[in-house]
Amino acid sequence: MVTVSPNTLTQTDKGRSLILWFNEVGIGDIPLVGGKNASLGEMIQQLTPQGVNVPTGFATTAYAYRYFIESAGLEAQLRELFADIDVEDVKNLRVRGKKARSLLMHTPFPVDLRDAIASAYLKLCEQYNTDTDVAVRSSATAEDLPDASFAGQQESYLNVVGVQGVLAAF
């Protein structure tokens, strides 16, 4: 994957990218990469010119998630699983959540998505050092809204090393 400057990507290009580098996104890209990632991009764009070093990284996009679901044929299975869900029944929510998580966790990535993530990680290793350890964090596109907060409900993995480690943490 070739890194391009943030000014050369159109919104359409961004919307169809599997991954985006932090220097390619800003606060306006929350729908594409989530709040944490968009904020990191904004920090890089605003603070780097002022001499503040902010480590770089990349985000998998909302498009990548939809692509994964579609490529794996999971949409119908997930819709069926949640079709008649009773949000008042915590036990049922737990059971269905566990089934959904299992479906996602046991479905391999499409080759091009796996390759995009691996390539981006290896590019980080070229920039920093071999086997750079990274944080793999979730960043929902609808978290921390004025009327809905998901603080503490997402997964984070720290000190992840190697392509296989990064892919497993996703």
Side-chain angles (χ1 to χ4, degrees):
M1 163 157 263
V2 177
T3 302
V4 294
S5 71
N7 296 330
T8 62
L9 281 178
T10 66
Q11 207 58 27
T12 301
D13 292 336
K14 284 183 178 183
R16 294 188 181 162
S17 295
L18 296 173
I19 66 123
L20 290 169
W21 289 90
F22 292 156
N23 70 342
E24 296 173 326
V25 298
I27 207 68
D29 294 312
I30 290 173
L32 302 177
V33 296
K36 289 181 187 88
N37 293 322
S39 294
L40 284 166
E42 194 71 24
M43 286 174 48
I44 287 171
Q45 290 179 30
Q46 299 299 319
L47 298 177
T48 300
Q50 296 180 36
V52 177
N53 291 327
V54 181
T56 194
F58 64 93
T60 54
T61 62
Y63 172 78
Y65 171 75
R66 289 188 304 272
Y67 176 69
F68 165 67
I69 295 296
E70 183 180 308
S71 295
L74 293 176
E75 184 174 357
Q77 294 175 64
L78 290 169
R79 285 191 185 280
E80 182 180 330
L81 181 62
F82 294 126
D84 61 348
I85 197 163
D86 178 0
V87 296
E88 302 297 324
D89 184 348
V90 175
K91 182 178 179 183
N92 186 263
L93 284 172
R94 186 178 306 116
V95 168
R96 291 182 193 220
K98 188 174 182 177
K99 286 180 182 178
R101 184 180 181 103
S102 180
L103 272 173
L104 295 169
M105 298 292 290
H106 293 98
T107 300
F109 288 134
V111 172
D112 48 352
L113 177 56
R114 185 187 69 227
D115 290 350
I117 294 167
S119 175
Y121 172 74
L122 292 172
K123 190 172 278 256
L124 282 176
C125 290
E126 288 173 12
Q127 183 173 349
Y128 291 106
N129 61 35
T130 304
D131 290 331
T132 295
D133 57 327
V134 296
V136 179
R137 303 191 57 168
S138 64
S139 185
T141 58
E143 66 185 337
D144 301 331
L145 298 174
D147 58 345
S149 176
F150 300 96
Q153 294 184 26
Q154 307 291 340
E155 301 277 349
S156 293
Y157 301 94
L158 305 176
N159 303 313
V160 178
V161 178
V163 169
Q164 293 307 315
V166 169
L167 290 169
F170 271 85

